[in-house]
Amino acid sequence: MTITHTTVAAGPVVPSTGALRPLPLGDLRLTGGYWADWQQRNADTVIRHCETWMERIGWTGNFDAAATGEPFDHAGIEFVDSEVYKLLEAMAWQLGVQPDDDLAERYDRLVERVAGAQDADGYLHTSFGRPWQRPRWSDMEWGHELYSMGHLIQAAVARLRTAGGGRLVDVAVRLADHLVEVFGTDGREAVCGHPEIEPALVELGRATGDRRYVDLARTFVDRRGHGLLAPIEYGQEYFQDDVPVRDADVLRGHAVRALYLAAGAVDVAVETGDADLLRAVETQWANTVAKRTYLTGAMGAHHQDEAFGADFELPPDREYGETCAAIASNMLSWRLLLETGESKYADLIERTLYNAVMVAPREDGRAFFYANTMHQRVEGTVPPEDEVVRRALSSLRAPWFEVSCCPTNLSRTLANVQSVFATVSDDGLQLHQYGDYEVDTVVGDGTRAAFSVRSDWPYSGTVEVVATADSKGPVALRLRVPCWSSGATLDVVDQAVPVEGDTVTVTRSFTAGDRVVLDVPVRARVTVPDVRIDAVRGTVAVERGPLVYALESTDLGADVRDVTVPADAEPVDGGSDDVRIAVRVHAVPEPTSLPYREGAGPADRASSAQPAESRTVRLVPYASWGNRGPSTMRVFIPVE
Amino acid sequence: MTITHTTVAAGPVVPSTGALRPLPLGDLRLTGGYWADWQQRNADTVIRHCETWMERIGWTGNFDAAATGEPFDHAGIEFVDSEVYKLLEAMAWQLGVQPDDDLAERYDRLVERVAGAQDADGYLHTSFGRPWQRPRWSDMEWGHELYSMGHLIQAAVARLRTAGGGRLVDVAVRLADHLVEVFGTDGREAVCGHPEIEPALVELGRATGDRRYVDLARTFVDRRGHGLLAPIEYGQEYFQDDVPVRDADVLRGHAVRALYLAAGAVDVAVETGDADLLRAVETQWANTVAKRTYLTGAMGAHHQDEAFGADFELPPDREYGETCAAIASNMLSWRLLLETGESKYADLIERTLYNAVMVAPREDGRAFFYANTMHQRVEGTVPPEDEVVRRALSSLRAPWFEVSCCPTNLSRTLANVQSVFATVSDDGLQLHQYGDYEVDTVVGDGTRAAFSVRSDWPYSGTVEVVATADSKGPVALRLRVPCWSSGATLDVVDQAVPVEGDTVTVTRSFTAGDRVVLDVPVRARVTVPDVRIDAVRGTVAVERGPLVYALESTDLGADVRDVTVPADAEPVDGGSDDVRIAVRVHAVPEPTSLPYREGAGPADRASSAQPAESRTVRLVPYASWGNRGPSTMRVFIPVE
């Protein structure tokens, strides 16, 4: 089923065709629970936190200095403009969700400062192009010029979609026009080392109706993989310049770059009807999920080059799992969900959101992980609350980083998180994510779909959907049945609907008060990694609903190093905050020579019998780990 | 037992006290076999290969350009001087082992070029200090000035010990005098980001008898760990500036830096009678070997910071295992062996040499690994023979690298490899490493110890030691019994000597022709990793004698990914080049969704029964892998 629709005020990503349509942002309102709480914390705390830090260390000041025309010492690395833009995007979405005079004023002031730094021809970057700086476009590999500009454009699209226009939109359009001139068909044949401009330009094209931006995005996608970027130490796959996008069958290289590019490629494919390109990215998604994705949904195994590793190279201790890569993964999955309507994309969004993304912020929203390990071997130290931390040192969440892409990326994600909860099609409404929210939207040619959704998701599996208005026409209400569930049931007023497969649909003319209840059994369960993931052979993890659980030394009262679970251990489920498992804590003597020994026979190859203490220990949701001070932690626990 | 002796012409490392004394280099002569072959290949090929490459890409030319006093574009990164110095050190040792007019002439010419770049005050570095360059000592963290100078001094010590002096020795002494002035007690309170100057200065002090150099080395060791280096992204442990040397209990941070520093600390401790410092390094060695060392002896798990990881963080696929770190590990072990006489240090030297060091060179000596993996997941590509390769791309051995510390380090190691084979004490001769060689030296006050040693080590465990002259006095002939052996026997002319413990000693007045045979059973054996090494849980490796073995796809005829060994598998030993093991190659279907599945019960948690093909496959010595073109490879094989 493919539908065509016009651009409407909406959240991020508004394709002109696709199996499903995003809702106008105002048509879905969070009313409580997990996401409303976090969105409020974002509005109250995270946004201000980002503003304060960037003001304090001069990243916003760069724009003021640039506006003067006088030489200045640029604060921070060359792409810190992009953090200001991501913050502006977060503010714009937040203002779209919930008017706030104070925030609106801060937003306007910040936009003015950014606008002041724009050159007469539309170019805007505080690190390049002034007489005392490096020339424009002189470092396509590492300069991040188009990358930063892409984030400006995204921020402007957010404003255009939520406020209809404004100063930042004008700035972005002037900038984009300049880029069309510089990099368009007859222009400079180049791509940026860090993709991001691609989805940004398509989105601007969608939001403004100006086709030239889509064309330029397509040009950038097409140029990639043809060796336009100079060779670097990590190889050209680092910035996906090794293979043309349409010829690759898996994501590779720097994870954030790969995922932003793939998202942009889907946007281009959708807007240009490029089925081959679309299929290529679908294949890349499938192979990446099957072979290069952590249990939490996190992507990217390498610290060195922030990259995907080889297939099944998924070490939990040296996991990189950058927060931004998880966010980027959802950007890609959301686009593929809209295009194809396939539930598997919503499944990955759920897993990634609750685990790989939400592990990043500290409970108070004032500190963040940049990289996200699934196995903390050594108790970390608490980073100072008032210092900029280097990203490689992430033993516990830090308030700010020298490269601080993750806090602002998280902030813009939280500000519009409900945009991925539901979609519409010509005949129905699809609920992809659950929680407490109200939907009131239009299906097809005018049928009203108004529902109240109530659920204590991710802690409980009961989802109550009540019609809040008469639909006055048939609505196919489709609910996702999560891939991790079994035995889900659906209770409908006067209808028995069997639950099989990954969605369940109730089609009827709804009357206000009609009640549909999806009941997904949520029990702690044991999960076994694929035998090819060498780094976690012989271990199990525990999950409950969409949440991955972790064992912390805080609860164990011992280092998680010397712990095993019995082969037949089953978790004891006393509720989401009372998941327990039987473990044995071994008193393994410290080795005194090389940690390898001769194994004469099979018996000797089993772990030798050591004194062990049996106990039952509480596990915590992985996203919550590290909120109680330094600890050692592991998700995958060795089986005895 | 501690003895005192005077400096003599010798190999590297001549402590003024210690349990054991190194032999004068000429007192032990390789006559054939593994090491004579490789030393000859070093003389014929590796040294010339290094000369050619450094000439071609301008690293030697930097000295000519610097000598002119005119501005020039410095070729290579800032510490490439050190590669020229390591090559000079290799040449000096090689000339000491085997005179060669052509090599001598090339050596002299190269020394002249280096000497020409020395400043009037003794300073010598081609990257710093000229008006158009960065000022001297302006980047102690990354400038590598003292590091490079340390290698110059080591090269000069090699010449002093093998030729009694010369132009490079004069250059080094002027340089060292300058350093005493700049960094001595009343001088600049600083240390170099990369240790190396410490062992170099002690060795120069030993070789010249000038105590000031030892004192300066002690000053550098004492200053370290007090935060003299500016904070960096990887944390101060990266350059061991986190904790004073004498307070640390394990090696940490950048592996080569940590090991060079530890070697220098032993040198300082020995020369200053600092028992506390010595004990600290002994403890660091013991903990590092027990918890942070690979089966091959390789050290350093992290690619990102070329660093040791946490205890038991020893992933085989993301092993860094830099060749230079293995060489540095032997520098440390050799010093501790001389000081303590303990056989465990010789055991690690053996393991490291045959596996972690000798995996680096390609069989023809014209290409090298920089990092050494124990698990190659993806077939690499053959690097071009005529291009400089970036070190991160080491899927197969490359001819040269942008940072090319390993080829020259290997060359200087091969040029004096026999220096670690034997030692003397007041009453005897100790044989630590085996092979084909002749020893003719003096024990104690003048007893002659002349022996011919014959062994096909590392392939066979029979070592025949025949006296080649009357000793005319009692000699305690001590032979190492390797830690990996069991059931070794000793056959002596007229004496039954039980073999127990890690050495066996025959004390007698030897008559020419007296024959002692150590027979160490060498059989392929299975080795099991410690349960705490998460990355290789549930696997075994195969070793034979001192050699670690590897499974290559070349022999398997399939990717090594999907292979297991039966729980009771024993290797079949048909000789060192015919080690085989039974494996099962599984036809595991490619996953189609996330590579984790629900495990309902213990049975389900075992690897599910998949069609598998049983076969017996040949393993190759790990050091030989990758010599037959691209392959996948693993040392640790999963147990069924």
Side-chain angles (χ1 to χ4, degrees):
Chain A
M1 172 184 63
T2 296
I3 52 178
T4 305
H5 51 79
T6 54
T7 301
V8 291
V13 196
V14 185
S16 57
T17 71
L20 310 176
R21 287 194 299 269
L23 300 189
L25 198 59
D27 286 7
L28 191 153
R29 197 165 54 83
L30 295 177
T31 54
Y34 187 99
W35 292 112
D37 288 354
W38 265 111
Q39 194 161 76
Q40 196 60 51
R41 197 165 307 138
N42 185 49
D44 296 341
T45 306
V46 182
I47 287 177
R48 280 186 183 277
H49 180 89
C50 295
E51 286 178 84
T52 306
W53 269 101
M54 291 200 279
E55 196 63 51
R56 175 177 156 189
I57 60 180
W59 297 1
T60 36
N62 285 331
F63 292 95
D64 309 332
T68 66
E70 298 298 313
F72 65 98
D73 282 338
H74 184 272
I77 46 168
E78 54 228 319
F79 51 88
V80 295
D81 288 1
S82 68
E83 308 314 334
V84 177
Y85 302 148
K86 276 186 283 181
L87 174 63
L88 284 173
E89 185 183 340
M91 289 170 145
W93 293 126
Q94 179 58 35
L95 287 167
V97 164
Q98 185 181 352
D100 175 334
D101 289 346
D102 183 63
L103 178 60
E105 211 174 289
R106 281 146 50 207
Y107 174 84
D108 287 341
R109 273 203 305 271
L110 190 49
V111 165
E112 280 309 311
R113 295 166 74 184
V114 166
Q118 187 166 34
D119 290 345
D121 62 359
Y123 179 94
L124 203 179
H125 203 292
T126 67
S127 293
F128 285 87
R130 291 166 192 81
W132 63 92
Q133 294 178 321
R134 286 186 287 168
R136 293 178 184 180
W137 320 121
S138 58
D139 182 5
M140 297 307 291
E141 287 74 26
W142 301 109
H144 288 78
E145 286 167 274
L146 287 168
Y147 164 82
S148 296
M149 294 167 184
H151 279 302
L152 185 155
I153 292 169
Q154 294 273 28
V157 168
R159 189 62 170 175
L160 186 51
R161 293 215 177 108
T162 52
R167 183 89 158 105
L168 194 68
V169 177
D170 301 341
V171 168
V173 166
R174 283 178 58 210
L175 170 61
D177 289 347
H178 175 69
L179 297 182
V180 168
E181 202 168 298
V182 175
F183 292 100
T185 320
D186 301 326
R188 187 186 285 254
E189 193 185 0
V191 295
C192 181
H194 200 315
E196 159 59 24
I197 191 69
E198 296 82 358
L201 283 171
V202 177
E203 281 277 272
L204 186 65
R206 288 165 172 166
T208 60
D210 191 330
R211 185 75 193 179
R212 295 174 306 144
Y213 307 142
V214 175
D215 290 343
L216 181 57
R218 186 185 53 194
T219 301
F220 282 135
V221 169
D222 284 345
R223 281 180 185 159
R224 209 157 201 103
H226 295 284
L228 290 175
L229 294 163
I232 59 161
E233 170 156 24
Y234 305 130
Q236 300 320 93
E237 74 169 38
Y238 175 83
F239 27 52
Q240 297 75 49
D241 199 29
D242 53 336
V243 177
V245 179
R246 63 183 68 244
D247 296 339
D249 60 7
V250 70
L251 298 180
R252 67 232 173 275
H254 189 280
V256 177
R257 291 169 205 245
L259 288 155
Y260 281 179
L261 177 64
V266 173
D267 286 338
V268 166
V270 167
E271 298 308 322
T272 62
D274 190 336
D276 286 347
L277 180 59
L278 189 65
R279 251 192 308 273
V281 180
E282 286 175 6
T283 301
Q284 291 162 26
W285 185 95
N287 281 326
T288 302
V289 170
K291 301 175 188 177
R292 299 185 174 187
T293 299
Y294 283 97
L295 181 61
T296 56
M299 295 185 182
H302 289 189
H303 280 244
Q304 186 183 31
D305 45 359
E306 306 185 300
F308 288 102
D311 288 350
F312 304 109
E313 186 179 286
L314 295 164
D317 48 358
R318 288 297 283 171
E319 174 182 358
Y320 196 64
E322 187 181 336
T323 304
C324 287
I327 290 168
S329 165
N330 279 357
M331 287 168 53
L332 173 60
S333 294
W334 175 237
R335 283 160 168 81
L336 291 171
L337 174 60
L338 291 176
E339 171 59 22
T340 66
E342 290 179 40
S343 204
K344 64 182 181 182
Y345 298 113
D347 278 333
L348 189 69
I349 288 173
E350 176 185 73
R351 179 177 292 277
T352 304
L353 263 183
Y354 284 111
N355 300 289
V357 173
M358 292 311 292
V359 67
R362 198 169 61 193
E363 277 171 352
D364 66 358
R366 295 180 193 278
F368 310 86
F369 279 128
Y370 186 109
N372 296 289
T373 188
M374 287 171 79
H375 183 177
Q376 180 72 26
R377 291 178 175 275
V378 180
E379 280 192 2
T381 47
V382 182
E385 290 291 312
D386 58 351
E387 279 180 28
V388 175
V389 168
R390 290 164 179 88
R391 59 185 154 165
L393 301 173
S394 58
S395 57
L396 280 173
R397 297 173 182 88
W400 205 252
F401 302 92
E402 282 196 345
V403 171
S404 215
C405 43
C406 297
T408 52
N409 221 348
L410 181 76
S411 185
R412 67 174 183 145
T413 303
L414 289 173
N416 67 38
V417 68
Q418 64 269 50
S419 64
V420 300
F421 281 25
T423 52
V424 289
S425 60
D426 281 348
D427 65 350
L429 174 73
Q430 301 81 35
L431 306 186
H432 305 290
Q433 307 298 337
Y434 302 119
D436 286 348
Y437 56 88
E438 307 278 337
V439 186
D440 192 347
T441 194
V442 174
V443 167
D445 289 336
T447 310
R448 185 170 178 191
F451 296 95
S452 159
V453 180
R454 294 279 171 276
S455 171
D456 193 26
W457 213 271
Y459 308 119
S460 139
T462 303
V463 182
E464 186 190 50
V465 185
V466 179
T468 51
D470 298 348
S471 62
K472 296 182 181 157
V475 170
L477 174 68
R478 186 178 108 181
L479 288 84
R480 179 175 62 95
V481 180
C483 59
W484 47 261
S485 71
S486 71
T489 57
L490 192 78
D491 185 27
V492 190
V493 193
D494 54 3
Q495 201 177 355
V497 179
V499 177
E500 29 183 43
D502 54 12
T503 60
V504 59
T505 303
V506 179
T507 305
R508 57 186 289 140
S509 204
F510 283 91
T511 304
D514 280 357
R515 190 169 164 275
V516 173
V517 178
L518 174 68
D519 208 348
V520 179
V522 166
R523 289 179 293 263
R525 62 190 189 275
V526 163
T527 298
V528 184
D530 189 283
V531 293
R532 287 160 291 207
I533 309 177
D534 293 280
V536 290
R537 176 173 292 110
T539 68
V540 293
V542 172
E543 295 182 279
R544 183 180 190 278
L547 300 178
V548 173
Y549 276 70
L551 171 60
E552 267 193 283
S553 57
T554 321
D555 298 299
L556 185 64
D559 191 338
V560 300
R561 191 188 76 177
D562 300 327
V563 75
T564 59
V565 291
D568 59 355
E570 285 300 331
V572 181
D573 191 335
S576 64
D577 59 356
D578 188 25
V579 172
R580 292 168 181 276
I581 197 161
V583 295
R584 283 156 60 89
V585 181
H586 299 264
V588 192
E590 293 293 311
T592 54
S593 58
L594 270 188
Y596 311 91
R597 66 193 162 77
E598 188 166 351
D604 196 43
R605 288 175 202 172
S607 84
S608 57
Q610 281 121 4
E613 188 204 330
S614 295
R615 60 176 94 167
T616 299
V617 65
R618 182 183 164 225
L619 306 176
V620 296
Y622 168 70
S624 306
W625 93 271
N627 272 300
R628 297 172 293 170
S631 65
T632 61
M633 177 276 295
R634 70 188 312 157
V635 168
F636 290 101
I637 311 175
V639 176
E640 235 156 68
Chain B
M1 172 185 61
T2 298
I3 54 179
T4 306
H5 51 79
T6 55
T7 301
V8 290
V13 195
V14 186
S16 57
T17 70
L20 309 176
R21 285 195 301 271
L23 300 188
L25 197 59
D27 287 7
L28 191 153
R29 198 165 54 82
L30 296 177
T31 54
Y34 187 100
W35 292 112
D37 288 354
W38 265 109
Q39 195 161 77
Q40 196 61 49
R41 195 165 307 138
N42 185 48
D44 296 341
T45 306
V46 182
I47 287 176
R48 280 185 184 279
H49 180 88
C50 295
E51 285 178 83
T52 305
W53 269 99
M54 291 200 279
E55 196 64 48
R56 173 177 157 189
I57 59 180
W59 296 3
T60 37
N62 284 332
F63 291 96
D64 309 332
T68 66
E70 298 298 314
F72 65 98
D73 281 338
H74 184 272
I77 46 166
E78 56 227 319
F79 51 88
V80 295
D81 288 1
S82 69
E83 308 314 334
V84 177
Y85 302 148
K86 277 187 282 181
L87 174 62
L88 284 172
E89 186 184 338
M91 290 170 142
W93 294 124
Q94 179 58 33
L95 287 167
V97 164
Q98 185 181 353
D100 175 333
D101 288 346
D102 182 63
L103 178 60
E105 212 174 286
R106 281 146 50 206
Y107 174 84
D108 287 341
R109 274 203 306 272
L110 189 50
V111 165
E112 280 308 312
R113 294 166 73 184
V114 166
Q118 187 165 35
D119 290 345
D121 62 0
Y123 180 94
L124 204 178
H125 202 291
T126 67
S127 293
F128 285 89
R130 289 167 193 81
W132 63 93
Q133 294 179 320
R134 286 187 287 170
R136 293 178 184 180
W137 320 121
S138 58
D139 182 4
M140 296 307 291
E141 287 74 27
W142 301 107
H144 288 77
E145 286 168 274
L146 287 169
Y147 165 81
S148 297
M149 294 168 184
H151 278 301
L152 186 155
I153 291 169
Q154 294 273 28
V157 168
R159 189 62 170 174
L160 186 51
R161 291 213 177 110
T162 51
R167 182 91 157 106
L168 193 69
V169 177
D170 300 341
V171 168
V173 166
R174 283 177 58 209
L175 170 61
D177 289 347
H178 175 69
L179 297 181
V180 168
E181 205 169 295
V182 175
F183 292 100
T185 321
D186 300 327
R188 188 187 285 254
E189 193 184 359
V191 295
C192 182
H194 200 316
E196 160 58 27
I197 191 69
E198 297 82 356
L201 283 171
V202 176
E203 282 275 273
L204 187 65
R206 288 165 172 165
T208 60
D210 192 331
R211 185 74 192 179
R212 293 174 308 146
Y213 306 143
V214 175
D215 290 343
L216 182 56
R218 186 184 55 193
T219 301
F220 282 136
V221 169
D222 285 346
R223 280 179 186 159
R224 209 159 200 101
H226 296 283
L228 290 175
L229 294 164
I232 59 160
E233 171 157 21
Y234 305 130
Q236 301 319 95
E237 74 169 38
Y238 175 84
F239 25 51
Q240 296 75 51
D241 200 30
D242 54 335
V243 176
V245 179
R246 63 184 70 243
D247 297 339
D249 59 7
V250 70
L251 297 180
R252 69 233 172 274
H254 188 280
V256 177
R257 291 169 205 246
L259 288 156
Y260 281 179
L261 178 64
V266 173
D267 286 338
V268 165
V270 167
E271 298 306 323
T272 62
D274 190 335
D276 287 348
L277 180 59
L278 189 64
R279 253 192 307 273
V281 180
E282 286 175 6
T283 300
Q284 290 162 26
W285 184 94
N287 281 327
T288 303
V289 169
K291 301 175 189 176
R292 299 184 175 188
T293 300
Y294 283 97
L295 182 62
T296 56
M299 293 186 184
H302 289 189
H303 280 243
Q304 187 183 32
D305 46 358
E306 306 187 300
F308 288 102
D311 289 349
F312 305 108
E313 185 179 284
L314 294 165
D317 47 359
R318 286 298 284 171
E319 173 181 358
Y320 196 64
E322 187 181 337
T323 305
C324 286
I327 290 168
S329 165
N330 279 357
M331 287 168 53
L332 174 60
S333 294
W334 174 237
R335 282 159 168 83
L336 291 170
L337 174 59
L338 291 175
E339 171 59 21
T340 66
E342 289 179 42
S343 204
K344 65 182 181 183
Y345 298 112
D347 278 333
L348 189 69
I349 288 173
E350 177 185 71
R351 177 176 293 276
T352 306
L353 263 182
Y354 284 111
N355 300 290
V357 173
M358 292 310 294
V359 68
R362 196 169 63 193
E363 278 172 352
D364 67 358
R366 296 181 192 278
F368 310 86
F369 279 129
Y370 186 108
N372 297 287
T373 189
M374 288 170 79
H375 184 178
Q376 181 72 27
R377 291 179 174 275
V378 181
E379 282 191 2
T381 46
V382 181
E385 289 290 313
D386 58 351
E387 279 181 27
V388 174
V389 168
R390 290 163 178 89
R391 59 186 155 164
L393 301 173
S394 58
S395 58
L396 280 173
R397 297 173 182 90
W400 204 253
F401 302 91
E402 280 197 346
V403 171
S404 214
C405 44
C406 296
T408 53
N409 222 346
L410 181 75
S411 185
R412 67 175 184 143
T413 302
L414 289 173
N416 67 37
V417 68
Q418 64 268 53
S419 65
V420 300
F421 281 25
T423 53
V424 290
S425 60
D426 281 349
D427 65 352
L429 174 72
Q430 301 81 36
L431 305 186
H432 304 292
Q433 307 299 335
Y434 303 119
D436 285 349
Y437 55 88
E438 308 275 337
V439 186
D440 192 348
T441 194
V442 174
V443 167
D445 288 338
T447 311
R448 186 170 177 191
F451 296 96
S452 161
V453 180
R454 294 281 172 274
S455 172
D456 193 25
W457 211 270
Y459 308 119
S460 139
T462 304
V463 182
E464 185 190 50
V465 184
V466 178
T468 51
D470 299 348
S471 64
K472 296 182 181 159
V475 170
L477 175 68
R478 187 179 108 181
L479 288 84
R480 180 175 63 95
V481 180
C483 60
W484 47 261
S485 71
S486 71
T489 56
L490 193 77
D491 184 28
V492 190
V493 193
D494 56 3
Q495 204 179 350
V497 180
V499 177
E500 27 181 45
D502 54 12
T503 60
V504 58
T505 303
V506 179
T507 304
R508 58 186 290 142
S509 202
F510 284 90
T511 303
D514 280 359
R515 189 168 166 278
V516 173
V517 179
L518 175 68
D519 207 348
V520 179
V522 166
R523 291 180 292 264
R525 62 189 189 277
V526 162
T527 298
V528 184
D530 189 283
V531 292
R532 287 160 291 207
I533 309 178
D534 294 280
V536 290
R537 176 172 294 108
T539 68
V540 293
V542 172
E543 296 181 279
R544 183 180 191 276
L547 300 179
V548 173
Y549 276 70
L551 171 61
E552 269 192 282
S553 57
T554 321
D555 299 298
L556 186 63
D559 191 337
V560 300
R561 191 188 76 177
D562 299 327
V563 75
T564 59
V565 292
D568 59 355
E570 285 301 328
V572 180
D573 191 334
S576 64
D577 59 356
D578 188 26
V579 171
R580 290 168 182 276
I581 197 160
V583 296
R584 282 155 62 89
V585 182
H586 300 264
V588 192
E590 294 293 311
T592 53
S593 59
L594 268 190
Y596 310 90
R597 64 189 166 79
E598 187 167 351
D604 196 45
R605 289 175 201 172
S607 85
S608 58
Q610 283 119 3
E613 187 204 332
S614 294
R615 60 175 95 167
T616 298
V617 64
R618 182 182 166 226
L619 306 175
V620 296
Y622 168 69
S624 306
W625 92 270
N627 272 298
R628 295 171 294 170
S631 64
T632 62
M633 178 276 297
R634 69 189 312 158
V635 168
F636 290 101
I637 310 175
V639 176
E640 236 156 67

